[in-house]
Amino acid sequence: MEFLAPSGSGLSISERAGLDIAMLQVRQSENLPLGSLSFWGRIKGKNDDYLVAVALTPSYPFPSKKFYYTTTAKSEKMSQMPDLSEEYAAHAATLVSKPFAGEPSMPYPIPPKEGEEEVVAEPVLDENGEEIQPEVFREEHKLAYHVALIDGDATVVPRGAYLVDAAHQVIKNPAYEGLAYEAAGQLRSYFHFRAPKSERAQKALEKPGVVRAGDFLDPIADDVPAGTFSLYYDPSNTMAIIRSFYWPGAYFYHQIGTGNYGSVYMGDGLPNTDIQFML
């Protein structure tokens, strides 16, 4: 959470204080190891903004991510993002260019399929005879969909920051000392921090024995269209910074020659659908 400068945005003192309390509560309630929960970013809405945190937990063969969110108005308490059914994910995909309101409970009704009439469900009562409100698609579902998309496309790690251990599990490299100056200026030194999608990386992760750094992750340099990412040094030439043109507000930083690196998102949560005309 300490490096927000490239985005030109940050958190106020009250937002940061509330978020620190909320993240501490999550760590305690979920019994998460120290350092496993970190600030992911901020998604701006019309009436309020969302603050998002991510927990990284061991999983085979690739670490799993669990996301939590709160709003700037209630930054002291976080909720886990809901899982999305296939129906909800498909509906969220139709709303990907719709701006956020900043209201988690705001409904986005799923229209009936062509040729089908809208069905009004019979009310369901609880043990006290009170009506149970049916599950509906809300903005928190849309938020979960957008965060997953942005994280998969724009969360970056440098070469060597993660390795495959003896159990063939992807883990953080405890001895990582960072990239040299020249390597830090090359886009091929950076990779998507997600389960690999390319056939080459998937095969590398599945093969027995030693797996070379970079072989089991997808390089961001291979993203289509070419030019999706911009890489530059900061004025002091001690920091390499990457920005995404497809997800404006997504940044990565690496302090050259050190193990200090990270990704942050500070934007409206919407993709740049005109990117093909810009490159």
Side-chain angles (χ1 to χ4, degrees), residues 155-168:
T155 297
V156 176
V157 294
R159 182 185 296 274
Y162 279 78
L163 51 81
V164 178
D165 66 6
H168 232 64

Side-chain angles (χ1 to χ4, degrees), residues 1-6 9-11 16 20 38-40 239 253 255 259-264:
M1 187 159 54
E2 71 279 1
F3 193 89
L4 305 180
S9 182
L11 303 181
R16 182 161 184 168
D20 285 343
S38 59
F39 179 69
W40 181 90
M239 196 85 68
Y253 72 93
Q255 190 174 359
N260 187 21
Y261 63 88
S263 292
V264 67

Side-chain angles (χ1 to χ4, degrees), residues 7 64 70 74 82 93 104 136 145 169 175-176 190 203 235 259 265-266:
S7 68
S64 61
T70 185
K74 301 178 179 179
V136 296
Y145 183 79
Q169 185 172 345
Y176 186 63
Y190 302 95
K203 287 183 176 179
Y265 178 81
M266 305 290 279

Side-chain angles (χ1 to χ4, degrees), residues 85-96 107-111 137-138 145:
S85 64
E86 290 186 7
E87 180 187 23
Y88 275 22
H91 184 49
T94 68
L95 304 170
V96 74
Y108 289 79
I110 300 177
F137 186 99
R138 301 180 300 277
Y145 183 79

Side-chain angles (χ1 to χ4, degrees), residues 143-159:
L143 177 68
Y145 183 79
H146 280 245
V147 168
L149 284 182
I150 297 169
D151 186 75
D153 287 346
T155 297
V156 176
V157 294
R159 182 185 296 274

